[in-house]
Amino acid sequence: MSDKKKNTPKLSFNSLWIYVPIAVIFIGLSFLNSGDMGTSKLSDNEFMKILRENDIEKIMVVNKSYAEIYIKDEAMTKEPFKKQVNSPFYRKGSPLYTYNFGDLQNFEKELKEKQDSLNLDFDKRNEARTSIMDSIIGFLPIILLIAIWLYFMRRMSGGGAGAGGGGQIFNIGKSKAKLFDKDTKVKTTFKNVAGLEGAKEEVQEIVDFLKSPEKYTKLGGKIPKGALLVGPPGTGKTLLAKAVAGEAGVPFFSLSGSDFVEMFVGVGASRVRDLFKQAQQKSPSIIFIDEIDAIGRARGKNSMTGGNDERENTLNQLLTEMDGFGTDTNVIVLAATNRADVLDKALMRAGRFDRQIYVDLPDLHERREIFEVHIKPLKLAEDVKLEFLSQQTPGFSGADIANLCNEAALIAARNNKEAIHHQDFLDAVDRIVGGLEKKNKVITPKEKEVIAFHEAGHATVSWMLEHAAPLVKVTIVPRGQSLGAAWYLPEERKIVQSEQMLDEMCATMGGRAAEKLIFDKISTGALSDLEKVTKQARAMVTVYGLNEKIGNVTYYDSTGNDSFVKPYSGDTAKIIDEEISKIIEGQYNRAISILDTHKDKLSILAERLLEKEVIFKDDLVKIFGERPFDKEKNQEILKSSEEE
Ligand code: ADP
């Protein structure tokens, strides 16, 4: 039975037991208070009768509001009393009756008269008594507050069923790590991780450490305590950590950095302690902390805003624990982040996360491998070309590709197909990159014409420029936020030269340039283009040192220390602004002149677009003729898809 299953019944019990004492106190006290269960109330006549017969031993006036009547022992044998005494609720020494006398003064006066006239020998006393129920009612708000507090504490510590056990209030300081051990074995292995060869090689060593530590310790070497997986989201960091656990066959504690964070001071640190204690008990084991930047951010940076002491305490505890456990404990901490630059330097020093493993976005070859992993469970048609799909998905992470495969399967199913076709994958790419198709978006014919010329402008300019990315298709079907799009097949360059950047910017400005040339009016439709070129131009000038006037200077700071003061003078700022503007305007004018030269072809393309809504590369070849720069590339692509 797994841990989780074991905990489930306990959880419901635990939630109940908190309320049990409260209920018991309430019920118990109401019982105590009703010590008068063996007494009954007397009417005026009955009271007078008992009084006159001199059967009363004592009259106790309680709180000036009612009287308790005690009967003489010798009278107990008389009929009404005998029945009362034999009742199971009667306790010896307690009053047999209570009597509501109404006005106390009149009652006392009457008693005095009767006592004198009839020569009665009862004893009359007064007593002030606080009823237990009254005090309870006084305490009720506090009891209620405690109950509410208990309830919320329980809710907050709840959901921690896992390694730490059920969601009791006492578990708030327990780690929330999810444990995969022999019962819930990690089945992921390196086979499930496509690409990432370098990273796999590095973690392979960790697997060896865990499997046969003696091999390394024999020679006096120390086993590393932690490794940091750094890379953008969805690139397979969690998958890799799981694969390490799966390969080594050791328990795997998985949690996210934010799981340490709680409203209460000290909880984070206590959770860290608990996590390491549990991991040591199950050693050899792996602790995996996802998004470690949630706690591992450099300390003391935001002291101006008061800082976050709780987070710092948690981080300090983590550092202490990592230092604390000996090299022989065989607990290895793997952590993942996409912001290694913001992490505290103390985390990275040797003896803690002394290894940093970079897990980057997959390249063309790796994407193909990832596709192969994820198409395994799918039913594919013959025509699916993985090579082409890998080319079509630059910038996709492993998670994106997994999502794409799933999306393609859904699209094929929606169209009642027996197998998933190549076109389904392409539709899925469109859908993921561009968003949902919005066929019924209302667009006027005039707007449509502007959009068609805008997109045709992009297509024409990029066709004519050597370094602009080759075009795949142009569409004026609105999707997501965009009204139309030109799709390219970007080269994956490791370094980019100025000319390449400028050509790309020129193609991006092609849309607005076409609007200006044809309609002599420009529109708001170029917003995202402008944003893109402005960023590129700024990067050329201030980051990459690609501007002659500014020279070989960069204002980029890789440590991520944003400062309020710009690292350049006011004069330089002016030059930077001028140069950025010059670059953009230059490319805009270049685009206009290219389009002017090919104005007739631009118009044919726009008309074709208006007519067909989507046009592909083949249509462009028909209008413009073969793109000279593409010949070699085309042959390569053709060759690889033929090989498939
Ligand atoms: P991260 O932790 O880096 O954000 P994950 O490891 O959670 O990313 O990846 C999410 C999903 O993406 C995985 O479950 C897997 O299906 C898929 N994936 C990511 N990278 C790869 C890869 N290299 N090979 C196979 N699948 C991958």
Side-chain angles (χ1 to χ4, degrees), residues 197-453:
E197 289 309 326
K200 267 200 262 184
E201 215 165 273
E202 293 212 40
V203 291
Q204 176 66 46
E205 229 178 30
I206 295 177
V207 175
D208 282 350
F209 288 142
L210 288 167
K211 270 188 168 163
S212 45
E214 324 78 45
K215 188 171 136 194
Y216 297 88
T217 48
K218 206 168 58 188
L219 303 177
K222 283 187 188 143
I223 289 176
K225 288 177 185 168
L228 191 64
L229 301 165
V230 185
T235 42
K237 297 182 291 292
T238 315
L239 193 70
L240 200 61
K242 261 195 185 164
V244 172
E247 291 278 338
V250 298
F252 180 72
F253 291 84
S254 163
L255 79 170
S256 164
S258 57
D259 288 344
F260 291 112
V261 188
E262 196 66 77
M263 195 173 92
F264 303 103
V265 175
V267 169
S270 125
R271 282 188 182 160
V272 173
R273 261 193 308 271
D274 185 60
L275 172 67
F276 278 80
K277 206 169 99 199
Q278 285 182 35
Q280 266 171 25
Q281 280 163 359
K282 296 224 176 216
S283 112
S285 59
I286 292 178
I287 294 176
F288 176 66
I289 308 174
D290 205 359
E291 318 285 353
I292 196 171
D293 40 303
I295 50 165
R297 230 163 246 270
R299 288 165 292 181
K301 271 220 179 126
N302 28 0
S303 48
M304 260 180 24
T305 54
N308 185 346
D309 286 344
E310 172 57 6
R311 190 173 56 72
E312 288 190 7
N313 285 344
T314 311
L315 175 59
N316 285 339
Q317 189 62 41
L318 181 69
L319 297 177
T320 320
E321 290 291 341
M322 288 189 80
D323 275 344
F325 62 74
T327 36
D328 50 344
T329 42
N330 290 346
V331 178
I332 290 189
V333 186
L334 294 177
T337 177
N338 46 5
R339 304 276 332 258
D341 52 325
V342 300
L343 290 187
D344 200 291
K345 294 284 167 286
L347 262 179
M348 304 302 207
R349 81 139 167 77
R352 286 163 185 161
F353 290 109
D354 34 14
R355 273 156 205 248
Q356 285 193 33
I357 301 170
Y358 286 92
V359 182
D360 233 335
L361 284 175
D363 62 18
L364 180 71
H365 181 67
E366 288 173 322
R367 283 202 298 277
R368 192 188 158 124
E369 286 184 19
I370 299 175
F371 264 114
E372 263 155 28
V373 169
H374 290 284
I375 55 160
K376 259 185 207 140
L378 305 181
K379 222 169 135 191
L380 294 192
E382 296 267 296
D383 66 346
V384 178
K385 293 184 206 75
L386 288 190
E387 191 65 36
F388 185 77
L389 288 177
S390 328
Q391 283 169 353
Q392 278 287 284
T393 46
F396 272 45
S397 67
D400 291 333
I401 294 176
N403 181 26
L404 169 68
C405 292
N406 190 48
E407 194 69 43
L410 296 184
I411 291 174
R414 205 172 300 141
N415 298 328
N416 302 321
K417 291 189 189 164
E418 287 297 308
I420 311 164
H421 288 263
H422 190 64
Q423 190 55 44
D424 300 321
F425 279 97
L426 295 182
D427 288 348
V429 175
D430 286 3
R431 160 110 198 239
I432 289 171
V433 177
L436 210 57
E437 216 172 73
K438 289 188 179 145
K439 283 210 172 103
N440 32 14
K441 196 165 188 149
V442 184
I443 297 172
T444 63
K446 183 71 202 159
E447 279 174 337
K448 211 160 187 183
E449 203 186 341
V450 175
I451 297 167
F453 271 97

Side-chain angles (χ1 to χ4, degrees), residues 147-172:
I148 292 170
W149 181 73
L150 287 176
Y151 174 74
F152 278 108
M153 290 283 281
R154 214 190 63 71
R155 289 256 319 238
M156 253 180 293
S157 60
Q168 328 168 359
I169 172 176
F170 306 108
N171 268 357
I172 190 149

